[in-house]
Amino acid sequence: MKDQVIKILIFSINNEFYATNIIEVERILEYEKSTKIPDSPEFVEGVINYEDKILPVITLSKRFNLPSTDVQKESKIIVTKQNDSKIGIIVDFVSEVKDVLAQDIENSPEIVGGISKRYIKGLIKFDGKIIIYLNMSTILTEDEKIQIL
């Protein structure tokens, strides 16, 4: 199991690197302005038309209570699969797809607790950087999924 290779998508938010298993990603879209939905949670940017369906779009920086960054020309929307539905996640830029060994993913330190422990699978050291490995299917709570999906 330790020799298992995992294909990850590396992306950036607020000059920090994050990754997710490529299996959780359906597509990477160019950023497009979304339509705001009244009374939605602060981290919900709005909705866009994706494959003739409504796709909720969230901002990970707001979800993680990080300072918001302005949309740049490199900004992307990562379409992730959430069980039977999909969600768009705005990131500053998508870096690359990379293979990592399961043994190279370290457990999150004990200092990471509470809510963040729910969606952080571990940490990956790569090229002198630390990449936070996320579980995209747990970014939203079940109540939040019901509210916006």
Side-chain angles (χ1 to χ4, degrees), residues 5 7 15 24 32-33 44 63 93 96 113 117 124:
V5 175
K7 202 172 274 305
N15 297 315
E24 293 188 278
E32 68 177 90
K33 190 161 175 46
V44 176
R63 179 67 179 122
F93 72 89
E96 64 184 303
K117 192 101 169 154
I124 304 166

Side-chain angles (χ1 to χ4, degrees), residues 115-131:
I115 295 170
S116 60
K117 192 101 169 154
R118 183 183 78 227
Y119 42 74
I120 296 177
K121 284 186 185 177
L123 303 173
I124 304 166
K125 288 186 265 180
F126 170 70
D127 280 350
K129 299 180 276 236
I130 294 178
I131 300 169

Side-chain angles (χ1 to χ4, degrees), residues 69-133:
T69 54
D70 292 332
V71 172
Q72 306 291 322
K73 64 179 181 173
E74 300 90 14
S75 295
K76 303 285 186 213
I77 298 175
I78 300 172
V79 180
T80 64
K81 302 168 214 166
Q82 302 282 319
N83 298 326
D84 296 334
S85 51
K86 298 171 186 157
I87 190 163
I89 297 173
I90 299 171
V91 300
D92 294 343
F93 72 89
V94 172
S95 176
E96 64 184 303
V97 174
K98 181 126 186 85
D99 290 338
V100 295
L101 292 173
Q103 67 191 28
D104 293 336
I105 300 171
E106 296 183 21
N107 290 332
S108 300
E110 290 303 314
I111 196 167
V112 176
I115 295 170
S116 60
K117 192 101 169 154
R118 183 183 78 227
Y119 42 74
I120 296 177
K121 284 186 185 177
L123 303 173
I124 304 166
K125 288 186 265 180
F126 170 70
D127 280 350
K129 299 180 276 236
I130 294 178
I131 300 169
I132 300 169
Y133 185 42

Side-chain angles (χ1 to χ4, degrees), residues 10 12 23 28 36 57 67 84 87 89 93 97 100 102 110 115 134 143 146 148:
I10 301 172
S12 175
I23 291 170
I28 300 167
K36 294 271 187 209
V57 178
D84 296 334
I87 190 163
I89 297 173
F93 72 89
V97 174
V100 295
E110 290 303 314
I115 295 170
L134 299 172
D143 287 345
I146 290 166
I148 69 169

Side-chain angles (χ1 to χ4, degrees), residues 24-85:
E24 293 188 278
V25 176
E26 178 171 296
R27 183 171 292 161
I28 300 167
L29 305 173
E30 292 296 322
Y31 174 81
E32 68 177 90
K33 190 161 175 46
S34 57
T35 302
K36 294 271 187 209
I37 302 294
D39 296 327
S40 58
E42 185 181 343
F43 60 86
V44 176
E45 201 63 29
V47 295
I48 61 171
N49 182 6
Y50 173 68
E51 296 181 339
D52 290 329
K53 293 190 171 90
I54 300 296
L55 179 73
V57 178
I58 69 168
T59 305
L60 271 189
S61 58
K62 289 179 184 174
R63 179 67 179 122
F64 294 162
N65 295 316
L66 299 171
S68 294
T69 54
D70 292 332
V71 172
Q72 306 291 322
K73 64 179 181 173
E74 300 90 14
S75 295
K76 303 285 186 213
I77 298 175
I78 300 172
V79 180
T80 64
K81 302 168 214 166
Q82 302 282 319
N83 298 326
D84 296 334
S85 51

